[in-house]
Amino acid sequence: MNLLTYLFIVALFSAFTFFSFHLDKTRTSKNQWKIPTRSLILMTFLFGSIGGLLATYILGYKEKKIVISNYLALLLHLGLGIIVYIVFGV
């Protein structure tokens, strides 16, 4: 796996995570079934941290558990990206 593939995976999962947060936010405003918080947190840890952070600030998603997990996942993914860069190069 090279760096471009890694960035593509992160972008794809981040988009999926962002739209999941958006779907949850719209369902909540309509008093419909919500996506469980643990599922949203899991999505952020599966390469979706950037989408989760964007959803937090753009959509105003303000659950403390989600915000903290977004930052932890972002740090994890940055570390993973650095390892991929060092091991496999550009």
Side-chain angles (χ1 to χ4, degrees):
M1 174 165 59
N2 61 17
L3 187 61
L4 190 59
T5 305
Y6 177 78
L7 291 175
F8 177 73
I9 291 170
V10 168
L12 188 66
F13 274 80
S14 290
F16 178 73
T17 303
F18 180 84
F19 288 116
S20 296
F21 274 72
H22 177 64
L23 180 65
D24 183 57
K25 186 82 171 180
T26 55
R27 284 182 174 176
T28 302
S29 65
K30 294 179 182 179
N31 291 326
Q32 294 177 343
W33 176 79
K34 287 183 59 165
I35 298 173
T37 303
R38 70 174 161 235
S39 297
L40 294 172
I41 291 173
L42 182 63
M43 284 183 227
T44 62
F45 276 99
L46 295 176
F47 299 104
S49 60
I50 297 171
L53 281 174
L54 288 174
T56 301
Y57 292 108
I58 293 173
L59 301 175
Y61 210 95
K62 296 185 181 176
E63 286 189 32
K64 286 186 180 185
K65 291 185 274 186
I66 299 248
V67 173
I68 292 170
S69 68
N70 282 336
Y71 283 113
L72 290 175
L74 182 64
L75 289 174
L76 174 77
H77 295 149
L78 286 174
L80 239 133
I82 290 169
I83 291 170
V84 167
Y85 180 75
I86 290 172
V87 172
F88 296 106
V90 175

